[in-house]
Amino acid sequence: MKEEKFIDAIGNLDDSLIEETAALRNRKKPFPYYKLALVAACILLTVVLIPWKTLFSDKGPVINDPPEPEEAVDVLKNEDTTAPDTEKAPQGPAVIPPDDSTQTPHEDSLPDKEQIQTDVPDTTGPQPENIQIPDTMGPQPENIQIPDTTGPTTDYNPSGKDQDTPVIEEETTGPLPPDKPTDPTPVVPTPQRPSVLSRASYPQQTQYSLSTLKQWRNEKNERINYYHNGIGNTDDFMNRTVREFFSNSEKENLIFSPVNTYLSLGMLAEATAGVSRAQLLSLLGENDITGIRSSAKNLWNCCYRDDGIVTSVLGNSMWFDDSFVPNTETTDIIAENYYASSFWGDFGDAEYDELMRSWINEQTKDMLKNTVNGSSLDPEEVISVISTLYFKADWSTAFQKKHTQSRVFHSPDGDIETEFMFRDESGELYYGESFSATSLKFEEGGAMWFILPDEDVELQSLFSDPEAMGFITGSALKGASFNTSRILLYVPKFDITTELDLEKNLKSLGVTEVFDPLAADFSSLTDSQVYVKDINTSVRVRIDEYGCEAAAVNTWDGGYGAAPFVNFRIDRPFIFVITSDSGLPLFVGTVNRPDR
């Protein structure tokens, strides 16, 4: 009986276990999310690792691509390169360059080795065993002469890159020049395009602002006074040159820039030596070349303004033919003291001519564009020195356009109709023995003087009148006694241009030897026998109701070998002088016909 009960209990227990097991099997299992996350992680890891495997595999792309085949052609096909030494140069046929219409050629598309003719290797794909690939970024074979494009160290780096790093892309300013030559007659490689040896860096000036007007004016005056005190004896130079250049201007308009000419002749003195330099020093009024350097640098800074209210910029440059090797110590001195940029290229090359024209137009704000765009560097010359001066300022009080009317101007060729500006305000007048003078002030410094000869006085006679010359050169302005009056001022509008050959005038002033092919001494600049073939100036001045704008360019080229009112009507030939803040004459001109 007990045994049967035990068996029944076991049977019941088995039934319970069977039912519980069935219940567990029928219960819904949770979804294994951890497995899904594991699969996603594996996929992500695979995606990340595949590009790295490609980059570092032998068959994948490289990080630093070699230069394009065209660049390799330029290096290997340099016309100045001597033939390779077969004993030293590695042997092997060259390869045909890839077709321009396709991308990098596949290895199977290359021709047979026997058909290969050119010497330009394909550096983008697998190479046949016997093809020699030149390392264009590393050391060159001994028998290939490649110009050093790193050039002398200068502050100007047009590429903005470390000069120790080879430049493989095309630079907008051309390759850097070769190293300074040590041999008097080294072989200079012909440049592929014009080079900028150095570019002048102009000082940065505090910009005009109404919020800091007092501080701005104080800084400007301190700067001008400082540099003005460092200028040497320029009064005699101003008097002699102005008197000489205007000696025969009887009927034509003529404009001359004494300041611009001083800097141009100073650069010429730096390039010369011996008697050639002595003649220039005598005209410039200095005993030695260091005096010229000091005066030129102070004169440049005294006249320079680019502060957002007045623009007065003197620019200088030197242009060398690639067959001419200058003494770089001299060009460095000129760059430092005359703020001169230097360029090197092929005289007669269209790109070099365009660079020269662009430089002048940039310096003169396109004022002389009509004259400059027809100019070029003469292939028969080896050096050209160019000096420019650009000036622009507004009148302190503008004329009212509604008051501008057509009136008669009595020119030497007869009466002409021209536009006259008019204003009625208090101003300063000076009465000389044979002339009268007044000025129009520019906003925040400088002035334009109008010197009108008396009706029975010839305009030319004022240039031999010491009293009038004091006004023209600025030496008499500070000590002059002026009358303050209400002035009814009539000024003709004009826009005139002058082009002059200064050789005859400079010879009259004692500068003769630099023009002699046999006697000229340019040993400070070069060991070659060069001389000044011509020296020219182009100047343009225009005035209107709002202000005055003027520009000048000098070039010398070298080759082998409130009282009662006063009616002040400027209706006959007159002299004008545009002065800087310090009273220096930036431009002097005669107007015989304001309509030209």
Side-chain angles (χ1 to χ4, degrees):
M1 187 67 180
K2 293 180 178 180
E3 182 178 354
E4 292 177 356
K5 292 182 178 180
F6 178 75
I7 293 172
D8 292 336
I10 292 174
N12 293 334
L13 180 61
D14 291 339
D15 293 337
S16 299
L17 289 173
I18 291 171
E19 293 175 359
E20 184 176 355
T21 301
L24 289 174
R25 288 178 178 177
N26 293 330
R27 188 174 60 187
K28 188 176 182 180
K29 297 181 180 180
F31 188 83
Y33 290 100
Y34 67 95
K35 293 183 180 181
L36 181 61
L38 182 60
V39 173
C42 292
I43 294 174
L44 180 61
L45 185 60
T46 302
V47 172
V48 171
L49 290 179
I50 285 176
W52 286 97
K53 180 179 179 182
T54 302
L55 288 174
F56 290 99
S57 67
D58 295 334
K59 297 182 179 180
V62 295
I63 296 176
N64 295 321
D65 292 328
E68 294 295 330
E70 289 78 5
E71 296 181 359
V73 171
D74 289 340
V75 174
L76 294 177
K77 291 190 175 182
N78 189 328
E79 294 180 0
D80 292 336
T81 306
T82 58
D85 187 347
T86 56
E87 295 181 358
K88 297 180 180 179
Q91 298 298 320
V95 244
I96 293 177
D99 189 348
D100 294 338
S101 62
T102 62
Q103 299 297 323
T104 303
H106 191 272
E107 182 180 6
D108 296 336
S109 65
L110 292 175
D112 295 336
K113 297 179 181 178
E114 292 76 12
Q115 299 175 354
I116 297 173
Q117 299 296 330
T118 63
D119 56 353
V120 183
D122 176 16
T123 60
T124 59
Q127 305 296 326
E129 296 180 358
N130 63 333
I131 294 178
Q132 305 297 327
I133 305 174
D135 180 10
T136 58
M137 301 301 290
Q140 303 296 326
E142 296 180 359
N143 61 319
I144 296 180
Q145 300 173 359
I146 299 178
D148 177 15
T149 58
T150 56
T153 302
T154 60
D155 293 335
Y156 176 70
N157 183 4
S159 67
K161 300 181 179 180
D162 188 348
Q163 292 185 356
D164 293 334
T165 303
V167 180
I168 61 174
E169 73 260 24
E170 180 176 330
E171 299 292 336
T172 57
T173 57
L176 294 174
D179 288 331
K180 299 179 181 180
T182 55
D183 187 345
T185 57
V187 178
V188 181
T190 302
Q192 297 299 318
R193 52 186 181 269
S195 301
V196 180
L197 299 182
S198 62
R199 193 181 294 275
S201 179
Y202 298 152
Q204 296 295 319
Q205 293 188 339
T206 303
Q207 295 298 291
Y208 176 86
S209 172
L210 293 176
S211 61
T212 58
L213 184 58
K214 184 176 180 180
Q215 178 185 356
W216 176 85
R217 285 175 176 167
N218 290 336
E219 290 180 358
K220 175 178 71 73
N221 293 332
E222 288 176 2
R223 183 183 69 250
I224 292 174
N225 291 333
Y226 172 80
Y227 287 116
H228 191 267
N229 292 332
I231 300 175
N233 180 26
T234 59
D235 290 345
D236 183 64
F237 171 81
M238 303 288 182
N239 276 281
R240 294 178 63 188
T241 54
V242 169
R243 189 180 296 114
E244 171 62 31
F245 290 126
F246 287 92
S247 59
N248 296 314
S249 61
E250 295 181 357
K251 292 186 177 182
E252 299 297 326
N253 299 327
L254 179 61
I255 317 170
F256 172 67
S257 173
V259 170
N260 182 249
T261 303
Y262 184 94
L263 291 172
S264 181
L265 295 179
M267 295 172 67
L268 182 57
E270 292 284 358
T272 57
V275 178
S276 298
R277 174 180 284 184
Q279 291 178 347
L280 288 162
L281 291 178
S282 177
L283 176 59
L284 294 169
E286 295 289 348
N287 296 323
D288 53 50
I289 194 64
T290 57
I292 300 295
R293 293 171 189 167
S294 177
S295 292
K297 189 168 188 176
N298 285 291
L299 184 65
W300 191 96
N301 281 281
C302 191
C303 296
Y304 174 73
R305 280 188 65 183
D306 191 13
D307 52 15
I309 193 72
V310 173
T311 303
S312 177
V313 179
L314 297 121
N316 296 302
S317 62
M318 304 185 74
W319 303 77
F320 301 108
D321 184 61
D322 56 16
S323 66
F324 183 86
V325 182
N327 181 342
T328 53
E329 291 183 2
T330 299
T331 58
D332 288 346
I333 290 173
I334 293 176
E336 179 182 357
N337 295 282
Y338 300 84
Y339 296 89
S341 301
S342 297
F343 304 87
W344 184 76
D346 181 11
F347 275 30
D349 177 69
E351 189 175 355
Y352 202 25
D353 288 339
E354 180 58 31
L355 180 62
M356 178 269 295
R357 290 189 289 263
S358 297
W359 183 87
I360 298 177
N361 286 330
E362 179 183 0
Q363 291 292 135
T364 58
K365 309 301 181 187
D366 290 334
M367 270 205 77
L368 301 173
K369 191 172 184 178
N370 292 337
T371 301
V372 172
N373 285 353
S375 63
S376 61
L377 295 165
D378 192 340
E380 296 183 359
E381 298 169 353
V382 294
I383 180 175
S384 182
V385 176
I386 302 175
S387 298
T388 63
L389 171 56
Y390 176 78
F391 178 87
K392 185 177 183 180
D394 294 335
W395 308 124
S396 58
T397 303
F399 289 85
Q400 295 293 319
K401 266 199 165 185
K402 62 182 180 181
H403 294 152
T404 300
Q405 297 180 358
S406 178
R407 293 180 178 271
V408 175
F409 185 90
H410 308 289
S411 77
D413 298 328
D415 293 350
I416 58 173
E417 288 282 334
T418 191
E419 287 188 309
F420 276 77
M421 303 178 293
F422 168 79
R423 74 181 185 190
D424 176 1
E425 66 176 24
S426 176
E428 293 181 332
L429 279 171
Y430 181 87
Y431 295 103
E433 289 293 327
S434 56
F435 69 95
S436 54
T438 190
S439 67
L440 289 174
K441 304 296 183 183
F442 294 120
E443 187 176 5
E444 296 297 342
M448 185 171 187
W449 287 87
F450 298 91
I451 303 171
L452 185 67
D454 294 343
E455 291 193 19
D456 57 346
V457 176
E458 292 290 334
L459 180 67
Q460 293 299 120
S461 66
L462 295 185
F463 292 104
S464 57
D465 182 347
E467 185 182 21
M469 286 298 295
F471 270 85
I472 294 172
T473 62
S475 60
L477 292 179
K478 292 184 178 180
S481 177
F482 293 94
N483 296 313
T484 301
S485 304
R486 175 190 172 194
I487 304 175
L488 305 182
L489 181 63
Y490 296 83
V491 182
K493 293 173 63 175
F494 62 83
D495 184 349
I496 59 178
T497 301
T498 295
E499 296 183 30
L500 288 176
D501 182 352
L502 307 184
E503 180 178 348
K504 179 180 178 180
N505 302 103
L506 290 175
K507 286 182 175 179
S508 297
L509 292 168
V511 179
T512 59
E513 191 162 299
V514 294
F515 298 101
D516 188 338
L518 300 179
D521 184 355
F522 278 78
S523 57
S524 291
L525 183 65
T526 180
D527 291 331
S528 302
Q529 182 62 40
V530 298
Y531 72 105
V532 176
K533 293 184 64 177
D534 50 65
I535 181 167
N536 303 292
T537 183
S538 297
V539 191
R540 180 184 176 190
V541 176
R542 65 184 177 195
I543 64 172
D544 59 17
E545 290 85 355
Y546 305 106
C548 171
E549 187 175 20
V553 55
N554 274 1
T555 305
W556 60 263
D557 301 315
Y560 285 118
F565 74 87
V566 175
N567 194 337
F568 199 92
R569 192 190 304 269
I570 308 175
D571 60 356
R572 57 184 181 275
F574 62 94
I575 300 171
F576 70 83
V577 183
I578 300 173
T579 65
S580 65
D581 297 26
S582 58
L584 290 168
L586 300 174
F587 298 89
V588 177
T590 56
V591 179
N592 285 283
R593 288 187 63 107
D595 60 338
R596 291 181 180 174

